[in-house]
Amino acid sequence: MSDEQALLAVEREIALLFRRGRAKVADLSRQVHPELEGMAYSMLGFVEQAGRVRLTDIGAHFSVGKATVSRQIKTLEEIGLVAREADPLDRRAALVSLTEDGATRYLRVRNSRTARFRRLMATWPQDDVARFADLLERFNDLTDDLTDDVAEEPAGNGADEAVGR
């Protein structure tokens, strides 16, 4: 396989992984609650991991704006999966955490997903799993750097020269 063919194969497989991932997240979100969107499921996971978290931190983590976070969190609040409270360090800010029902529903779905993933990965030798984890981490680190580069580029003519290209 040539370098170009290998690059195209990686791009094709990553695109397939993303498409399947979006579809799976949509399915998982509906398992938590029929009114939930995929982004809200992902936000539930972040809140579960973080404990109590500011809305601005949720937006920063997902690289989405305040309006998107507010809309998703409002839906999660309305269906009783998260609770919002004033931040004791900054009364202008809000902290979000999972409710007991939110934690129960999210963890049930996450644990089922994790068990399925374990079964799939058990078909691979442990060395392959470890190597795959290392390669994915390297790839994700690389894509973080690319996202940072794009975010730092000034708009308009001369952007390439401004970042040394």
Side-chain angles (χ1 to χ4, degrees):
M1 181 182 294
S2 72
D3 288 350
E4 182 66 17
Q5 289 171 322
L7 188 62
L8 290 173
V10 168
E11 183 180 39
R12 181 180 60 248
E13 295 302 321
I14 293 288
L16 177 61
L17 183 65
F18 286 167
R19 281 193 308 274
R20 286 180 176 169
R22 278 191 299 274
K24 187 63 180 170
V25 166
D27 179 55
L28 294 170
S29 68
R30 287 186 298 275
Q31 290 177 42
V32 171
H33 193 281
E35 295 177 30
L36 222 55
E37 295 179 17
M39 174 61 83
Y41 174 82
S42 297
M43 286 183 182
L44 274 178
F46 180 71
V47 172
E48 191 277 328
Q49 215 173 21
R52 292 177 6 175
V53 63
R54 285 183 174 193
L55 296 177
T56 53
D57 293 334
I58 295 170
H61 178 79
F62 290 101
S63 300
V64 296
K66 199 186 289 188
T68 300
V69 173
S70 293
R71 181 174 58 83
Q72 296 292 340
I73 294 300
K74 182 179 181 208
T75 299
L76 291 169
E77 261 186 305
E78 288 171 352
I79 58 180
L81 301 179
V82 300
R84 190 186 311 223
E85 64 184 278
D87 184 340
L89 301 177
D90 181 355
R91 291 285 176 190
R92 298 166 297 168
L95 293 174
V96 175
S97 59
L98 295 184
T99 63
E100 187 176 329
D101 186 42
T104 299
R105 288 172 177 253
Y106 173 76
L107 292 173
R108 177 182 44 83
V109 172
R110 187 198 67 190
N111 291 343
S112 174
R113 181 196 76 211
T114 302
R116 181 176 181 272
F117 191 73
R118 277 195 185 99
R119 285 191 305 274
L120 287 172
M121 295 311 294
T123 65
W124 285 19
Q126 182 54 39
D127 288 349
D128 286 356
V129 174
R131 185 159 194 277
F132 187 53
D134 289 342
L135 291 171
L136 280 174
E137 182 178 8
R138 280 180 53 199
F139 181 78
N140 281 327
D141 288 346
L142 177 66
T143 59
D144 276 348
D145 291 345
L146 292 174
T147 303
D148 291 344
D149 289 346
V150 170
E152 293 172 5
E153 287 183 17
N157 292 336
D160 289 339
E161 293 79 17
V163 291
R165 288 191 206 132

